[in-house]
Amino acid sequence: MLTANRFHQFLNSAREWEALMKNHLDSKPTSIHRIASDDGTVVFEIDIPGFEREDLDVEVNGTNLMVRAERHSEVDDSNINWKIRERLSGSEAYRFELPFRIDPEQTDVNYEHGVLRLKIQKPAEELPRKLTVQ
Amino acid sequence: MSSTLDTNKSPNTCETNTLECEKVSTTPTLRLRPRVDIMEQEDRYLLKVDLPGVHKDDLDVTLEKETLSMKGVARYDLPEGFRVVSGSGADRCYERTFRISDEIDREGITVEMKNGVAWLDLPKSAMAQKTKLTVK
């Protein structure tokens, strides 16, 4: 019980979440992520524009979430004179560590308009429970 | 880069854009300068602009005199009962302007959104294209 309550308090603290997420996004100035939560679900959004769904690989291992994106050349590079090149090239990889075990069967992954969205159900044992005062 | 297709970085433009962003979205917005690739080919310029989360209907591209402006809003719909625990819960407003010259065929400019990236095709006018002359 104590564990469940502490976990709930922990989820309410955005700062601790930031510390635990260990994501690599903050080091990339224009990469933006959003994490929202209610008592039973966490919703991640990661901006990774310019990929096809089949180029994205999402892997779950215990409390770890790995996202890899393989970028293919979108235009014929021959006869191109580059004027400005700011967009990320090559592959991208992001790792998150969540404060609970991720059940792949309870996780929905969606990629639309360049945003990867993961909806993760928290395991039942991690949900806050109300104690009866005797 | 020359004067053909320059990104416009003047402070005055940024100030104007702030007001426009606020008009587009009624909720708090995070203003962002999108990353862009600009490529020149023999007969055209290609622009690729990262606009993750922007739907086709929320993208405005306008051409006024020599200024091409792009403005796209990615709306963040927080599910009911959820709270943001990391990152920004605001809408994102992407804005960038480019200066184009007469070398571009203005009527031929096309825009397409694909996986959160805007592709702009700016064909060069026939006058601006290299023409090989036949030596008689």
Side-chain angles (χ1 to χ4, degrees):
Chain A
M1 299 302 159
L2 182 63
T3 306
N5 280 339
R6 284 178 62 194
F7 179 74
H8 188 56
Q9 287 168 6
F10 166 75
L11 279 186
N12 285 328
S13 166
R15 278 188 187 174
E16 288 180 62
W17 259 90
E18 288 279 15
L20 258 173
M21 283 306 151
K22 288 184 184 172
N23 66 64
H24 296 189
L25 292 166
D26 289 339
S27 63
K28 296 175 183 293
T30 62
S31 291
I32 304 292
H33 71 287
R34 296 160 292 283
I35 305 172
S37 172
D38 73 353
D39 286 343
T41 311
V42 171
V43 177
F44 273 77
E45 285 192 5
I46 311 166
D47 293 343
I48 42 172
F51 293 96
E52 298 292 339
R53 282 193 182 93
E54 54 268 27
D55 298 331
L56 299 172
D57 185 24
V58 180
E59 191 179 302
V60 164
N61 184 4
T63 59
N64 282 302
L65 176 71
M66 283 287 299
V67 177
R68 293 189 190 86
E70 188 75 30
R71 197 184 305 275
H72 302 291
S73 181
E74 297 164 310
V75 290
D76 179 11
D77 268 2
S78 59
N79 302 317
I80 280 183
N81 180 13
W82 285 92
K83 297 294 185 184
I84 294 180
R85 198 168 193 177
E86 299 172 346
R87 298 174 63 245
L88 298 177
S89 57
S91 301
E92 295 178 43
Y94 306 100
R95 187 172 73 87
F96 299 86
E97 187 174 333
L98 273 66
F100 56 82
R101 188 183 57 78
I102 307 161
D103 181 356
E105 301 298 323
Q106 298 293 320
T107 304
D108 293 328
V109 187
N110 175 269
Y111 181 71
E112 206 173 33
H113 304 296
V115 178
L116 184 72
R117 192 169 194 264
L118 297 106
K119 192 173 180 184
I120 305 168
Q121 303 292 335
K122 295 174 194 168
E125 64 269 22
E126 300 284 10
L127 298 179
R129 277 188 275 175
K130 196 166 183 173
L131 299 180
T132 306
V133 180
Q134 294 175 337
Chain B
M1 187 63 233
S2 81
S3 62
T4 304
L5 196 62
D6 288 341
T7 56
N8 192 335
K9 299 171 183 173
S10 80
N12 290 338
T13 304
C14 291
E15 189 63 32
T16 306
N17 288 345
T18 306
L19 297 170
E20 288 178 354
C21 258
E22 286 167 358
K23 279 182 193 170
V24 168
S25 178
T26 53
T27 53
T29 52
L30 186 67
R31 291 181 58 234
L32 298 166
R33 177 185 168 86
R35 282 180 162 149
V36 63
D37 284 348
I38 299 180
M39 294 154 272
E40 182 184 8
Q41 290 180 320
E42 195 172 324
D43 58 346
R44 64 189 64 245
Y45 286 90
L46 287 173
L47 269 77
K48 285 161 66 178
V49 188
D50 279 349
L51 301 169
V54 176
H55 295 218
K56 193 175 74 174
D57 295 341
D58 290 324
L59 174 65
D60 280 338
V61 182
T62 54
L63 183 60
E64 187 178 2
K65 294 183 180 173
E66 60 179 15
T67 302
L68 179 76
S69 305
M70 296 191 69
K71 182 173 58 199
V73 176
R75 304 187 189 281
Y76 183 56
D77 294 320
L78 185 68
E80 191 155 346
F82 278 66
R83 61 196 173 277
V84 177
V85 293
S86 180
S88 169
D91 290 346
R92 286 101 66 211
C93 183
Y94 299 93
E95 282 195 274
R96 194 126 179 204
T97 57
F98 307 92
R99 190 155 52 87
I100 64 171
S101 76
D102 293 342
E103 190 181 330
I104 304 295
D105 172 12
R106 299 164 66 98
E107 301 300 318
I109 298 174
T110 58
V111 188
E112 187 186 351
M113 280 296 289
K114 191 180 172 188
N115 294 324
V117 180
W119 292 61
L120 281 82
D121 188 338
L122 294 85
K124 294 181 185 176
S125 62
M127 291 278 284
Q129 289 186 41
K130 199 190 294 180
T131 308
K132 190 163 184 173
L133 301 178
T134 306
V135 181
K136 293 177 182 174

